[in-house]
Amino acid sequence: MTVTFEQARECVLREVRPLESAEQVPVLDSAGRVLAESIMADRDYPPFPRSARDGYAVRAADLPGVLQLIGEVRAGEVFEGSVGAGQAVSIMTGAPLPTGADAVIMIEHTRLEGDRVIPDRTLKPGDNFNPRGVEAHRGDTVLGSGQRLGFAEIAVLAMVGRACVSVYRRPRVAILPTGDEIVEAGEQPREFQIRNSNAWSLAVQVRRAGGIDQLLPIARDNYQSTRSLIEQGLAEADLLLLSGGVSAGKYDIVERVLADLGARFFFDRVLIQPGQPLVFGAIRDKFFFGLPGNPASTMVTFELFARAAIERLSGASVAALPLLRARLTSDFHHKPGLTRFLPARVSDDGASVTPQPWHGSGDVAALARANAFLVAEADREAWSGGDDIRVLIK
Ligand code: AMP
Ligand code: MG
């Protein structure tokens, strides 16, 4: 079945569900993993009305006016008295607001003469401090199951006092290159042979998506070799990624082997370039992708579809593509009908994008020079220099 780019994305996101199992890991080791529990605030945040500035705790109604300095409160201390009419307490960022005070005036907005504080402006009650509980109340959910743990999320776990956390198991992803012409990257190829670069680019992409890569030997373009390695991959991994053998050539036998193994095919052609002969399906409860073997096709179809599947298996509730918009530096046109993903360079300031010269889906070196893919929508033919265009970050 042939589908559009959008239909193929929807299909992958609809079909793939998180793996059931979770494990407890120390918080620092959970970075990059996906939460399998909800995290609650263990107390109010901030736990006390917290000064956001260095200055003086005051009553806003006393301003403008000259205030009497009656003491000091530092972060990590509590002021024992209270702030009465006409009084001020010197306060540091992070210190609790003394009772009686309802605002903090920044030190830069005052003059001190002996024990007299002279503000140069007025304040509203609530200025320059964070009331208790404004960020979260005790018992509120601060992180949800399905959230990927980055540096800010790890800070939240530390803040609420967690030592360990429950995360989804990382999916095991088997990588199966195919082709009679392919030799391992460490080997010396003969004139007409090609080193296996796809297994390594895929391994890195799998790791980046949160999976555990498992490299299989190269399957030869014959039924028995392909079948036994596909069976091995399905037995050992949660997801199988094949590269090559899904085009229309006489020795492209991957689909036939998968069909004989009882595969359900969700699609076997997507209206994209590179990567049109892309296969997605399942055998029993295991999903597989037959990625086209041309290196650019393999890399692009992984980023567009297989990455989402791995993120889904990893428990992530969001598996969005890293898309942005940038201004084209020159005119651009393509033949409508396919969504194209072409190597491009986004400028350092992120504002503009320039298509990169390349020689088609075998051109690995051009991909290494690119930092993004320009996304040419299937229903538009031409863009002028200065137009905004969608860009997929590499
Ligand atoms: P295929 O999809 O099997 O028709 O392969 C398409 C092109 O990609 C051919 O030129 C292959 O030599 C090349 N290719 C296939 N597999 C790999 C691989 N693992 N590493 C590098 N190139 C490959
Ligand atoms: Mg091949």
Side-chain angles (χ1 to χ4, degrees), residues 172-224:
R172 281 188 307 274
V173 183
I175 295 169
L176 176 53
T178 72
D180 283 342
E181 77 283 29
I182 309 299
V183 300
E184 290 300 359
E187 285 173 30
Q188 186 56 48
R190 299 174 66 189
E191 223 176 301
F192 43 85
Q193 293 178 322
I194 299 290
R195 289 197 186 92
N196 176 14
S197 61
N198 286 348
W200 288 8
S201 54
L202 284 172
V204 171
Q205 289 176 293
V206 165
R207 287 177 200 182
R208 194 169 75 158
I212 300 170
D213 54 289
Q214 194 169 328
L215 299 184
L216 292 171
I218 299 160
R220 297 306 163 194
D221 292 326
N222 66 68
Y223 191 90
Q224 205 39 57

Short mmCIF file of all heavy atoms in Angstrom, two decimals, residues 172-224:
data_model
loop_
_atom_site.label_atom_id
_atom_site.label_comp_id
_atom_site.label_asym_id
_atom_site.label_seq_id
_atom_site.Cartn_x
_atom_site.Cartn_y
_atom_site.Cartn_z
N ARG A 172 15.23 -2.78 22.59
CA ARG A 172 16.36 -3.36 21.84
C ARG A 172 16.00 -3.31 20.36
O ARG A 172 14.91 -3.74 19.96
CB ARG A 172 16.57 -4.82 22.26
CG ARG A 172 17.32 -4.99 23.57
CD ARG A 172 17.65 -6.46 23.80
NE ARG A 172 16.44 -7.28 23.70
CZ ARG A 172 15.61 -7.50 24.72
NH1 ARG A 172 15.86 -6.98 25.91
NH2 ARG A 172 14.53 -8.24 24.56
N VAL A 173 16.91 -2.80 19.58
CA VAL A 173 16.64 -2.61 18.15
C VAL A 173 17.68 -3.35 17.34
O VAL A 173 18.88 -3.03 17.39
CB VAL A 173 16.64 -1.11 17.79
CG1 VAL A 173 16.28 -0.92 16.31
CG2 VAL A 173 15.67 -0.33 18.67
N ALA A 174 17.24 -4.39 16.63
CA ALA A 174 18.16 -5.17 15.79
C ALA A 174 18.33 -4.47 14.44
O ALA A 174 17.37 -3.97 13.86
CB ALA A 174 17.61 -6.57 15.59
N ILE A 175 19.58 -4.42 13.98
CA ILE A 175 19.90 -3.76 12.71
C ILE A 175 20.43 -4.82 11.75
O ILE A 175 21.43 -5.49 12.04
CB ILE A 175 20.96 -2.66 12.94
CG1 ILE A 175 20.35 -1.58 13.83
CG2 ILE A 175 21.46 -2.09 11.61
CD1 ILE A 175 21.35 -0.57 14.35
N LEU A 176 19.72 -5.00 10.63
CA LEU A 176 20.07 -6.06 9.69
C LEU A 176 20.34 -5.49 8.30
O LEU A 176 19.42 -5.19 7.55
CB LEU A 176 18.92 -7.10 9.64
CG LEU A 176 19.06 -8.23 8.63
CD1 LEU A 176 20.39 -8.95 8.79
CD2 LEU A 176 17.91 -9.22 8.80
N PRO A 177 21.63 -5.33 7.95
CA PRO A 177 21.96 -4.87 6.60
C PRO A 177 21.80 -6.03 5.62
O PRO A 177 21.99 -7.19 5.99
CB PRO A 177 23.44 -4.47 6.71
CG PRO A 177 23.91 -4.90 8.05
CD PRO A 177 22.82 -5.63 8.75
N THR A 178 21.43 -5.71 4.38
CA THR A 178 21.33 -6.76 3.37
C THR A 178 22.11 -6.33 2.12
O THR A 178 22.25 -5.13 1.87
CB THR A 178 19.87 -7.02 2.93
OG1 THR A 178 19.42 -5.91 2.13
CG2 THR A 178 18.95 -7.20 4.11
N GLY A 179 22.58 -7.28 1.36
CA GLY A 179 23.20 -6.97 0.07
C GLY A 179 24.42 -7.84 -0.20
O GLY A 179 25.30 -7.96 0.64
N ASP A 180 24.47 -8.41 -1.39
CA ASP A 180 25.62 -9.24 -1.79
C ASP A 180 26.89 -8.40 -1.96
O ASP A 180 27.99 -8.93 -1.87
CB ASP A 180 25.31 -9.96 -3.11
CG ASP A 180 24.39 -11.15 -2.91
OD1 ASP A 180 24.27 -11.61 -1.74
OD2 ASP A 180 23.77 -11.60 -3.89
N GLU A 181 26.71 -7.09 -2.22
CA GLU A 181 27.87 -6.23 -2.48
C GLU A 181 28.45 -5.61 -1.21
O GLU A 181 29.46 -4.90 -1.27
CB GLU A 181 27.48 -5.12 -3.47
CG GLU A 181 26.68 -3.95 -2.89
CD GLU A 181 25.19 -4.24 -2.66
OE1 GLU A 181 24.83 -5.41 -2.41
OE2 GLU A 181 24.39 -3.29 -2.69
N ILE A 182 27.80 -5.85 -0.05
CA ILE A 182 28.18 -5.14 1.18
C ILE A 182 29.22 -5.95 1.96
O ILE A 182 29.07 -7.16 2.15
CB ILE A 182 26.94 -4.91 2.06
CG1 ILE A 182 25.80 -4.27 1.26
CG2 ILE A 182 27.27 -4.05 3.28
CD1 ILE A 182 26.12 -2.92 0.66
N VAL A 183 30.29 -5.27 2.41
CA VAL A 183 31.26 -5.90 3.31
C VAL A 183 31.32 -5.08 4.60
O VAL A 183 30.95 -3.90 4.60
CB VAL A 183 32.69 -6.00 2.69
CG1 VAL A 183 32.65 -6.81 1.41
CG2 VAL A 183 33.27 -4.60 2.44
N GLU A 184 31.76 -5.70 5.69
CA GLU A 184 31.82 -4.98 6.96
C GLU A 184 32.77 -3.79 6.85
O GLU A 184 33.75 -3.83 6.09
CB GLU A 184 32.24 -5.91 8.10
CG GLU A 184 31.18 -6.95 8.48
CD GLU A 184 29.83 -6.37 8.94
OE1 GLU A 184 29.68 -5.12 9.00
OE2 GLU A 184 28.92 -7.16 9.23
N ALA A 185 32.50 -2.75 7.65
CA ALA A 185 33.26 -1.50 7.52
C ALA A 185 34.75 -1.70 7.80
O ALA A 185 35.58 -0.97 7.28
CB ALA A 185 32.67 -0.45 8.45
N GLY A 186 35.11 -2.71 8.59
CA GLY A 186 36.51 -2.95 8.89
C GLY A 186 37.25 -3.72 7.80
O GLY A 186 38.47 -3.90 7.88
N GLU A 187 36.52 -4.18 6.80
CA GLU A 187 37.15 -5.02 5.77
C GLU A 187 37.60 -4.20 4.56
O GLU A 187 37.10 -3.11 4.33
CB GLU A 187 36.15 -6.09 5.29
CG GLU A 187 35.96 -7.22 6.28
CD GLU A 187 34.83 -8.15 5.83
OE1 GLU A 187 34.60 -8.27 4.61
OE2 GLU A 187 34.18 -8.71 6.72
N GLN A 188 38.52 -4.80 3.80
CA GLN A 188 38.98 -4.17 2.56
C GLN A 188 38.04 -4.60 1.44
O GLN A 188 38.00 -5.77 1.06
CB GLN A 188 40.41 -4.63 2.25
CG GLN A 188 41.06 -3.94 1.07
CD GLN A 188 41.08 -2.42 1.22
OE1 GLN A 188 41.46 -1.88 2.27
NE2 GLN A 188 40.64 -1.72 0.18
N PRO A 189 37.25 -3.67 0.88
CA PRO A 189 36.31 -4.09 -0.18
C PRO A 189 37.03 -4.34 -1.50
O PRO A 189 38.05 -3.72 -1.77
CB PRO A 189 35.37 -2.88 -0.30
CG PRO A 189 36.12 -1.72 0.24
CD PRO A 189 37.18 -2.24 1.17
N ARG A 190 36.51 -5.25 -2.29
CA ARG A 190 37.00 -5.37 -3.66
C ARG A 190 36.37 -4.23 -4.46
O ARG A 190 35.48 -3.53 -3.98
CB ARG A 190 36.66 -6.75 -4.21
CG ARG A 190 37.35 -7.84 -3.37
CD ARG A 190 36.94 -9.21 -3.77
NE ARG A 190 37.43 -9.52 -5.13
CZ ARG A 190 37.07 -10.60 -5.79
NH1 ARG A 190 36.22 -11.48 -5.25
NH2 ARG A 190 37.55 -10.85 -7.00
N GLU A 191 36.85 -4.06 -5.69
CA GLU A 191 36.47 -2.92 -6.52
C GLU A 191 34.96 -2.65 -6.57
O GLU A 191 34.51 -1.52 -6.54
CB GLU A 191 36.93 -3.25 -7.93
CG GLU A 191 37.57 -2.14 -8.68
CD GLU A 191 38.05 -2.67 -10.02
OE1 GLU A 191 38.86 -3.61 -10.05
OE2 GLU A 191 37.53 -2.15 -11.02
N PHE A 192 34.20 -3.71 -6.63
CA PHE A 192 32.76 -3.62 -6.88
C PHE A 192 31.96 -3.81 -5.58
O PHE A 192 30.78 -4.05 -5.60
CB PHE A 192 32.34 -4.68 -7.90
CG PHE A 192 33.01 -6.00 -7.63
CD1 PHE A 192 32.45 -6.88 -6.72
CD2 PHE A 192 34.23 -6.32 -8.25
CE1 PHE A 192 33.09 -8.07 -6.45
CE2 PHE A 192 34.87 -7.51 -7.95
CZ PHE A 192 34.30 -8.41 -7.05
N GLN A 193 32.66 -3.74 -4.44
CA GLN A 193 31.97 -3.90 -3.16
C GLN A 193 31.87 -2.56 -2.42
O GLN A 193 32.61 -1.63 -2.71
CB GLN A 193 32.72 -4.93 -2.30
CG GLN A 193 32.64 -6.33 -2.89
CD GLN A 193 33.42 -7.34 -2.06
OE1 GLN A 193 34.50 -7.03 -1.54
NE2 GLN A 193 32.89 -8.54 -1.94
N ILE A 194 30.99 -2.52 -1.45
CA ILE A 194 30.67 -1.27 -0.72
C ILE A 194 30.76 -1.58 0.77
O ILE A 194 30.29 -2.62 1.21
CB ILE A 194 29.21 -0.85 -1.03
CG1 ILE A 194 29.00 -0.60 -2.52
CG2 ILE A 194 28.77 0.34 -0.21
CD1 ILE A 194 29.68 0.63 -3.03
N ARG A 195 31.39 -0.68 1.54
CA ARG A 195 31.43 -0.91 2.99
C ARG A 195 30.07 -0.64 3.62
O ARG A 195 29.33 0.24 3.18
CB ARG A 195 32.48 -0.02 3.65
CG ARG A 195 33.91 -0.44 3.32
CD ARG A 195 34.89 0.19 4.30
NE ARG A 195 36.28 -0.08 3.91
CZ ARG A 195 37.02 0.72 3.12
NH1 ARG A 195 36.50 1.85 2.66
NH2 ARG A 195 38.25 0.40 2.82
N ASN A 196 29.78 -1.38 4.66
CA ASN A 196 28.51 -1.30 5.36
C ASN A 196 28.46 -0.06 6.24
O ASN A 196 28.79 -0.10 7.42
CB ASN A 196 28.36 -2.58 6.20
CG ASN A 196 27.11 -2.58 7.05
OD1 ASN A 196 26.21 -1.77 6.84
ND2 ASN A 196 27.06 -3.49 8.01
N SER A 197 28.06 1.06 5.66
CA SER A 197 27.96 2.28 6.47
C SER A 197 26.60 2.40 7.15
O SER A 197 26.46 3.02 8.19
CB SER A 197 28.24 3.52 5.62
OG SER A 197 27.28 3.63 4.58
N ASN A 198 25.59 1.76 6.56
CA ASN A 198 24.24 1.92 7.12
C ASN A 198 24.12 1.37 8.54
O ASN A 198 23.41 1.94 9.37
CB ASN A 198 23.21 1.20 6.23
CG ASN A 198 22.97 1.96 4.95
OD1 ASN A 198 23.38 3.11 4.81
ND2 ASN A 198 22.30 1.31 4.00
N ALA A 199 24.79 0.25 8.81
CA ALA A 199 24.64 -0.34 10.14
C ALA A 199 25.15 0.64 11.20
O ALA A 199 24.56 0.76 12.28
CB ALA A 199 25.40 -1.66 10.23
N TRP A 200 26.23 1.35 10.87
CA TRP A 200 26.79 2.27 11.86
C TRP A 200 25.96 3.54 12.00
O TRP A 200 25.74 4.02 13.10
CB TRP A 200 28.26 2.60 11.53
CG TRP A 200 29.16 1.43 11.80
CD1 TRP A 200 28.78 0.16 12.14
CD2 TRP A 200 30.59 1.43 11.78
NE1 TRP A 200 29.88 -0.64 12.31
CE2 TRP A 200 31.00 0.12 12.10
CE3 TRP A 200 31.54 2.40 11.50
CZ2 TRP A 200 32.35 -0.24 12.16
CZ3 TRP A 200 32.89 2.04 11.56
CH2 TRP A 200 33.28 0.73 11.89
N SER A 201 25.52 4.09 10.86
CA SER A 201 24.67 5.30 11.01
C SER A 201 23.39 4.93 11.76
O SER A 201 22.94 5.68 12.63
CB SER A 201 24.37 5.94 9.65
OG SER A 201 23.81 5.02 8.75
N LEU A 202 22.83 3.77 11.45
CA LEU A 202 21.61 3.36 12.15
C LEU A 202 21.86 3.13 13.64
O LEU A 202 21.03 3.51 14.48
CB LEU A 202 21.03 2.08 11.53
CG LEU A 202 20.31 2.27 10.19
CD1 LEU A 202 19.95 0.92 9.58
CD2 LEU A 202 19.04 3.12 10.36
N ALA A 203 23.00 2.53 13.96
CA ALA A 203 23.30 2.28 15.38
C ALA A 203 23.33 3.59 16.16
O ALA A 203 22.79 3.69 17.27
CB ALA A 203 24.64 1.55 15.52
N VAL A 204 23.93 4.61 15.55
CA VAL A 204 24.01 5.91 16.22
C VAL A 204 22.63 6.55 16.32
O VAL A 204 22.26 7.14 17.34
CB VAL A 204 24.99 6.83 15.45
CG1 VAL A 204 24.95 8.24 15.98
CG2 VAL A 204 26.40 6.27 15.55
N GLN A 205 21.84 6.40 15.28
CA GLN A 205 20.49 6.95 15.31
C GLN A 205 19.63 6.24 16.36
O GLN A 205 18.85 6.88 17.06
CB GLN A 205 19.84 6.85 13.92
CG GLN A 205 20.48 7.82 12.92
CD GLN A 205 19.91 7.64 11.53
OE1 GLN A 205 20.10 6.61 10.89
NE2 GLN A 205 19.18 8.63 11.04
N VAL A 206 19.80 4.92 16.47
CA VAL A 206 19.05 4.14 17.47
C VAL A 206 19.42 4.63 18.88
O VAL A 206 18.56 4.87 19.72
CB VAL A 206 19.34 2.64 17.33
CG1 VAL A 206 18.89 1.86 18.56
CG2 VAL A 206 18.68 2.09 16.07
N ARG A 207 20.72 4.80 19.13
CA ARG A 207 21.15 5.27 20.46
C ARG A 207 20.57 6.64 20.75
O ARG A 207 20.11 6.91 21.85
CB ARG A 207 22.68 5.35 20.52
CG ARG A 207 23.32 3.99 20.59
CD ARG A 207 24.83 4.10 20.58
NE ARG A 207 25.38 2.82 20.15
CZ ARG A 207 26.66 2.54 20.08
NH1 ARG A 207 27.55 3.46 20.40
NH2 ARG A 207 27.07 1.35 19.69
N ARG A 208 20.62 7.51 19.76
CA ARG A 208 20.12 8.87 19.98
C ARG A 208 18.62 8.87 20.26
O ARG A 208 18.11 9.72 20.98
CB ARG A 208 20.43 9.74 18.76
CG ARG A 208 20.27 11.21 19.04
CD ARG A 208 20.82 12.06 17.95
NE ARG A 208 19.95 12.07 16.78
CZ ARG A 208 19.95 13.01 15.85
NH1 ARG A 208 20.80 14.02 15.96
NH2 ARG A 208 19.16 12.96 14.82
N ALA A 209 17.91 7.89 19.69
CA ALA A 209 16.46 7.82 19.92
C ALA A 209 16.12 7.14 21.24
O ALA A 209 14.95 7.05 21.60
CB ALA A 209 15.81 7.07 18.77
N GLY A 210 17.14 6.62 21.95
CA GLY A 210 16.88 5.99 23.24
C GLY A 210 16.83 4.48 23.20
O GLY A 210 16.46 3.84 24.19
N GLY A 211 17.21 3.87 22.08
CA GLY A 211 17.20 2.41 21.97
C GLY A 211 18.57 1.80 22.22
O GLY A 211 19.57 2.51 22.33
N ILE A 212 18.58 0.47 22.32
CA ILE A 212 19.85 -0.27 22.44
C ILE A 212 20.07 -0.97 21.10
O ILE A 212 19.25 -1.79 20.69
CB ILE A 212 19.76 -1.32 23.57
CG1 ILE A 212 19.48 -0.63 24.90
CG2 ILE A 212 21.05 -2.15 23.63
CD1 ILE A 212 19.14 -1.60 26.03
N ASP A 213 21.16 -0.61 20.43
CA ASP A 213 21.39 -1.16 19.09
C ASP A 213 22.02 -2.54 19.18
O ASP A 213 22.84 -2.81 20.06
CB ASP A 213 22.29 -0.23 18.29
CG ASP A 213 23.58 0.07 19.02
OD1 ASP A 213 23.53 0.81 20.03
OD2 ASP A 213 24.64 -0.45 18.62
N GLN A 214 21.61 -3.39 18.28
CA GLN A 214 22.12 -4.75 18.23
C GLN A 214 22.42 -5.07 16.76
O GLN A 214 21.49 -5.22 15.96
CB GLN A 214 21.01 -5.67 18.76
CG GLN A 214 21.44 -7.02 19.10
CD GLN A 214 20.31 -7.72 19.86
OE1 GLN A 214 19.55 -7.09 20.59
NE2 GLN A 214 20.18 -9.00 19.66
N LEU A 215 23.70 -5.12 16.41
CA LEU A 215 24.07 -5.30 15.00
C LEU A 215 24.07 -6.77 14.62
O LEU A 215 24.70 -7.59 15.29
CB LEU A 215 25.47 -4.71 14.74
CG LEU A 215 25.64 -3.22 14.99
CD1 LEU A 215 27.05 -2.76 14.58
CD2 LEU A 215 24.61 -2.41 14.21
N LEU A 216 23.38 -7.09 13.54
CA LEU A 216 23.38 -8.46 13.03
C LEU A 216 24.36 -8.54 11.86
O LEU A 216 24.71 -7.53 11.25
CB LEU A 216 21.97 -8.82 12.56
CG LEU A 216 20.92 -8.95 13.67
CD1 LEU A 216 19.53 -9.08 13.08
CD2 LEU A 216 21.24 -10.13 14.58
N PRO A 217 24.79 -9.76 11.51
CA PRO A 217 25.64 -9.92 10.33
C PRO A 217 24.89 -9.50 9.06
O PRO A 217 23.67 -9.40 9.07
CB PRO A 217 25.94 -11.42 10.29
CG PRO A 217 25.51 -11.97 11.59
CD PRO A 217 24.49 -11.04 12.17
N ILE A 218 25.64 -9.27 7.98
CA ILE A 218 25.02 -8.85 6.72
C ILE A 218 24.27 -10.03 6.09
O ILE A 218 24.84 -11.11 5.92
CB ILE A 218 26.09 -8.35 5.74
CG1 ILE A 218 26.82 -7.15 6.34
CG2 ILE A 218 25.50 -8.01 4.37
CD1 ILE A 218 28.18 -6.87 5.72
N ALA A 219 22.99 -9.81 5.78
CA ALA A 219 22.22 -10.85 5.10
C ALA A 219 22.54 -10.80 3.62
O ALA A 219 22.64 -9.72 3.02
CB ALA A 219 20.73 -10.63 5.31
N ARG A 220 22.76 -11.96 3.03
CA ARG A 220 23.01 -12.02 1.58
C ARG A 220 21.69 -12.03 0.83
O ARG A 220 20.64 -12.35 1.41
CB ARG A 220 23.86 -13.25 1.25
CG ARG A 220 25.24 -13.22 1.91
CD ARG A 220 25.99 -11.93 1.56
NE ARG A 220 27.12 -11.66 2.45
CZ ARG A 220 27.75 -10.48 2.52
NH1 ARG A 220 27.33 -9.45 1.79
NH2 ARG A 220 28.77 -10.30 3.32
N ASP A 221 21.72 -11.64 -0.45
CA ASP A 221 20.48 -11.51 -1.22
C ASP A 221 19.96 -12.87 -1.66
O ASP A 221 19.72 -13.11 -2.85
CB ASP A 221 20.72 -10.61 -2.44
CG ASP A 221 20.98 -9.16 -2.04
OD1 ASP A 221 20.39 -8.71 -1.04
OD2 ASP A 221 21.79 -8.50 -2.72
N ASN A 222 19.83 -13.80 -0.71
CA ASN A 222 19.17 -15.06 -1.01
C ASN A 222 18.20 -15.36 0.11
O ASN A 222 18.30 -14.82 1.22
CB ASN A 222 20.18 -16.20 -1.22
CG ASN A 222 20.92 -16.52 0.05
OD1 ASN A 222 20.35 -17.03 1.03
ND2 ASN A 222 22.22 -16.21 0.09
N TYR A 223 17.24 -16.20 -0.22
CA TYR A 223 16.10 -16.43 0.67
C TYR A 223 16.54 -16.94 2.04
O TYR A 223 16.14 -16.40 3.08
CB TYR A 223 15.15 -17.45 0.02
CG TYR A 223 13.83 -17.56 0.74
CD1 TYR A 223 12.77 -16.73 0.38
CD2 TYR A 223 13.66 -18.47 1.77
CE1 TYR A 223 11.55 -16.82 1.04
CE2 TYR A 223 12.44 -18.55 2.44
CZ TYR A 223 11.40 -17.73 2.07
OH TYR A 223 10.20 -17.81 2.74
N GLN A 224 17.41 -17.94 2.07
CA GLN A 224 17.75 -18.59 3.34
C GLN A 224 18.50 -17.66 4.29
O GLN A 224 18.20 -17.57 5.47
CB GLN A 224 18.54 -19.88 3.07
CG GLN A 224 18.40 -20.88 4.21
CD GLN A 224 16.99 -20.93 4.81
OE1 GLN A 224 16.01 -21.18 4.10
NE2 GLN A 224 16.86 -20.67 6.12
#
